[in-house]
């Protein structure tokens, strides 16, 4: 049996892990590379799609699913397995990726960048729909504890990873001697809406583990909800617009949940809260359909079938471009939640242009802002910022706190790995090299009998 990582090996994007037994080949995740120069690496797959018998998708983020349309287009004939929520979210994420691919291709064509082959989109909406026809939904082990046969001699169970809605820790029974547990992306503990990450019950001799935060602990921030309440109340009292940049998947739904709770408790005034992102609106609809998948706290926070966490009187969603534009001339205090989360593109940039120069307004940052992004410059206190090519003075109040990470940090990852039964061999992926090395050192100290591998991209690891 061999395991070959064709992405997320010394980086955090492009998750693709090929598991081969004597009888079958299964692909764990089929993600796209992201970041500069990713495009060329997302045109084809580094293995033959025809040789893959089945695919298991851990969760719907594009760096774990984005190459599925290419896999199917290029000859994969098997089935794809994911939880029902992952299937529904994945369709929206892949259609969005296809739209971006079309825009990128048009940009290259107009500027005559690369050769004509590069002027075609890496995938189309038709590729996405053909890929979705291959997806079979399977329940979490806590819903139905049966094994699901997915390929010759290989069976699957999924535990909850608590990372985004539908996220799973897939466990593959590969042979009488080998069972592999894949962490997927492991969520942080105690994030609203999501369950805490589950640990498999069956012994797993191979642990394929993410290491995104393998080298550090998140600062604990128990006062995040209080900080949100204070900021929104202060901005509302000034009569200003509070602009909150947020990723469409996960962060937007979390903010809706918290703002709903705060409004119900009378801790923020009942001002209009507008989600201005078509993708975020569609994803919120999917989140609302899977209320059974939420954690127990959500049932005590919002008791009763009629008290829906992700809908309330003062919350609304824009659908058209005109509705979005109309927000710029609306008066009175208001919250606008929009994407992209790091303010580099999307509708959020329009809202910043209309609000950032007025001291009554606020930019409220609740997520990580990477170096080089507009969001990071605003967070770091820039006096001026360039938006759509024009310079604007930053006079709005800027409030920033990075709360509610979607990833387990080092102590949480270690505590989880410690509890996976029967591990003899850990394979570390989905982390920068420093993070992987630090996590490998921790595992070596805690579990001296484990073999710990940090594979290079495309380097097969054998198990006997
Ligand atoms: Zn993820």
């Amino acid at each position: 049996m061999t395991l070959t990582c064709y992405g997320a090996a010394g980086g955090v994007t492009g998750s693709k892990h090929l598991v081969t037994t004597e009888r079958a080949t299964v692909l764990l995740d089929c993600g796209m590379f992201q970041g500069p120069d990713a495009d060329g690496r997302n045109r084809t797959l580094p293995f033959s799609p025809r040789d893959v018998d089945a695919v298991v998708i851990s969760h719907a983020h594009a760096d774990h699913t984005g190459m599925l349309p290419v896999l199917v287009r290029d000859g994969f004939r098997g089935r794809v397995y994911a939880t029902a929520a992952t299937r529904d979210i994945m369709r929206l994420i892949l259609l969005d990726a296809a739209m971006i691919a079309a825009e990128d291709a048009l940009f290259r064509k107009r500027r005559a960048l690369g050769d004509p082959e590069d002027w075609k989109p890496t995938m189309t909406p038709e590729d996405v729909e053909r890929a979705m026809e291959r997806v079979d939904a399977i329940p979490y082990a806590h819903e139905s504890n049966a094994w699901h046969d997915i390929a010759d001699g290989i069976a699957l169970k999924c535990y909850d990873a608590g990372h985004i809605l539908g996220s799973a820790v897939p466990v593959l029974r590969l042979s009488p001697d080998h069972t592999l547990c894949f962490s997927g992306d492991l969520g942080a503990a105690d994030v609203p809406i999501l369950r805490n990450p589950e640990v498999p019950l069956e012994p797993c001799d191979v642990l394929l583990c993410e290491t995104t935060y393998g080298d550090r602990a998140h600062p604990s921030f128990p006062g995040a909800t209080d900080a949100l309440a204070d900021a929104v109340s202060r901005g509302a009292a000034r009569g200003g617009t509070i602009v909150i940049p947020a990723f469409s998947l996960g962060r937007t739904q979390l903010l809706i949940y918290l703002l709903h709770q705060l409004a119900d408790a009378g801790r923020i005034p009942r001002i209009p809260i507008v989600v201005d992102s078509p993708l975020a609106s569609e994803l919120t609809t999917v989140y609302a359909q899977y209320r059974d998948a939420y954690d127990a706290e959500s049932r005590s926070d919002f008791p009763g079938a009629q008290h829906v966490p992700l809908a309330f009187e003062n919350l609304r969603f824009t659908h058209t471009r005109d509705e979005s534009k109309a927000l710029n001339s609306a008066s009175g205090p208001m919250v606008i939640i929009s994407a992209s989360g790091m303010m580099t593109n999307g509708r959020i940039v329009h809202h910043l242009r209309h609000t950032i120069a007025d001291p009554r307004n606020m930019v409220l940052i609740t997520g990580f802002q990477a170096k080089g992004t507009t969001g990071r410059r605003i967070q770091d206190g820039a006096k001026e910022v360039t938006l759509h090519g024009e310079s604007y003075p930053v006079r709005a109040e800027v409030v920033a706190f990075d709360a509610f990470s979607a990833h387990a940090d080092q102590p949480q990852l270690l505590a989880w790995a410690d509890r996976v039964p029967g591990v003899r061999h850990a394979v570390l992926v989905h982390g920068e090299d420093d993070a992987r090395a630090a996590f490998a050192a921790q595992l070596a100290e805690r579990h001296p009998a484990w073999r710990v591998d940090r594979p290079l991209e495309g380097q097969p690891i054998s198990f006997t």
Side-chain angles (χ1 to χ4, degrees):
M1 177 198 135
T2 61
L3 168 66
T4 313
C5 303
Y6 286 102
V12 293
T13 71
S15 264
K16 290 183 275 297
H17 311 297
L18 203 63
V19 182
T20 303
T21 68
E22 284 176 8
R23 293 159 69 182
T25 295
V26 171
L27 181 63
L28 284 169
D29 282 350
C30 193
M32 68 201 320
F33 289 102
Q34 293 169 325
D37 309 323
D39 209 60
R41 307 184 73 198
N42 289 331
R43 290 199 167 265
T44 55
L45 287 154
F47 48 83
S48 166
R50 285 175 203 283
D51 295 342
V52 179
D53 297 301
V55 178
V56 176
I57 296 290
S58 68
H59 68 286
H61 276 142
D63 60 324
H64 296 259
T65 60
M67 288 296 278
L68 207 51
V70 174
L71 185 89
V72 172
R73 183 194 68 198
D74 290 355
F76 169 68
R77 293 289 171 262
R79 303 299 300 175
V80 177
Y81 299 90
T83 65
T86 291
R87 176 198 58 197
D88 293 354
I89 295 171
M90 181 161 71
R91 180 167 175 274
L92 299 174
I93 293 295
L94 293 177
L95 286 171
D96 188 61
M99 197 174 74
I100 293 167
E103 286 168 5
D104 287 350
L106 196 63
F107 179 83
R108 288 192 295 273
K109 188 176 178 185
R110 285 205 179 124
R111 307 223 168 169
L113 299 172
D115 56 57
E117 201 48 35
D118 298 328
W119 303 347
K120 288 187 209 151
T122 47
M123 67 169 117
T124 65
E126 294 73 35
D127 293 331
V128 172
E129 297 298 357
R130 272 192 286 273
M132 291 310 300
E133 286 167 13
R134 310 213 143 256
V135 182
D136 289 333
I138 64 157
Y140 282 118
H142 65 240
E143 297 167 315
S144 155
N145 196 28
W147 287 99
H148 304 272
D149 292 323
I150 61 166
D152 188 6
I154 300 182
L156 168 70
K157 260 188 205 186
C158 285
Y159 291 87
D160 197 331
H163 168 61
I164 55 171
L165 192 77
S167 63
V169 170
V171 173
L172 288 182
R173 195 177 62 195
L174 297 163
S175 72
D177 298 329
H178 291 302
T179 300
L180 181 150
C181 168
F182 175 33
S183 67
D185 281 2
L186 206 69
D190 302 329
V191 173
I193 303 179
L194 301 169
R195 290 193 173 96
N196 286 347
E198 294 176 335
V199 178
L201 299 175
E202 35 285 298
C204 301
D205 59 307
V206 181
L207 173 62
L208 177 60
C209 192
E210 70 121 322
T211 55
T212 312
Y213 291 103
D215 58 347
R216 67 206 115 128
H218 297 316
S220 76
F221 195 17
T225 308
D226 296 341
L228 183 68
D230 288 350
V232 172
S233 299
R234 192 165 64 244
R238 287 199 297 261
T241 300
I242 299 155
V243 178
I244 310 183
F247 292 115
S248 301
L249 174 52
R251 181 56 54 128
T252 294
Q253 293 76 31
L254 171 64
L255 284 164
I256 293 171
Y257 185 103
L258 293 174
L259 291 168
H260 186 180
Q261 249 188 324
L262 291 171
D264 279 1
R267 296 184 61 197
I268 58 171
R270 291 205 173 263
I271 59 173
I273 294 168
V274 185
V275 174
D276 185 34
S277 153
L279 179 61
S281 301
E282 288 183 278
L283 288 166
T284 304
T285 303
V286 176
Y287 262 67
Q289 284 162 356
Y290 284 93
R291 202 174 163 186
D292 288 351
Y294 298 1
D295 62 0
E297 288 77 10
S298 74
R299 279 182 276 285
S300 48
D301 289 347
F302 295 95
Q306 300 309 313
H307 198 187
V308 181
L310 300 182
F312 54 115
E313 320 75 72
N314 40 327
L315 174 72
R316 68 185 177 90
F317 298 85
T318 60
H319 299 287
T320 65
R321 213 171 273 266
D322 285 343
E323 282 179 275
S324 172
K325 281 188 183 156
L327 295 174
N328 297 321
S329 48
S331 61
M334 157 170 67
V335 172
I336 300 176
I337 301 172
S338 188
S340 69
M342 298 192 199
M343 304 179 237
T344 44
N345 52 27
R347 289 185 180 181
I348 188 79
V349 183
H350 292 277
H351 296 304
L352 290 172
R353 285 174 57 198
H354 283 91
T355 55
I356 204 158
D358 184 337
R360 281 182 311 165
N361 299 330
M362 178 185 287
V363 183
L364 179 47
I365 300 171
T366 66
F368 174 72
Q369 304 294 312
K371 272 185 199 150
T373 60
T374 307
R376 182 61 168 266
R377 282 191 283 281
I378 293 173
Q379 182 180 335
D380 286 348
K383 294 275 178 281
E384 288 201 344
V385 68
T386 304
L387 302 165
H388 290 161
E390 275 181 62
S391 181
Y392 292 79
V394 180
R395 297 200 195 101
E397 181 184 359
V398 176
V399 177
F401 49 90
D402 186 4
F404 303 118
S405 173
H407 280 273
D409 63 0
Q410 190 202 54
Q412 291 172 346
L413 270 177
L414 283 170
W416 181 82
D418 286 349
R419 289 168 58 210
V420 177
V423 177
R424 289 189 285 128
H425 191 156
V427 180
L428 305 186
V429 291
H430 204 284
E432 302 294 344
D433 273 332
D434 289 352
R436 276 210 297 186
F439 197 69
Q442 288 287 328
L443 287 183
E445 206 169 284
R446 294 158 91 103
H447 303 284
W450 290 12
R451 175 178 151 196
V452 179
D453 272 312
R454 287 177 280 149
L456 300 172
E457 202 171 302
Q459 173 198 8
I461 297 171
S462 297
F463 302 92
T464 46

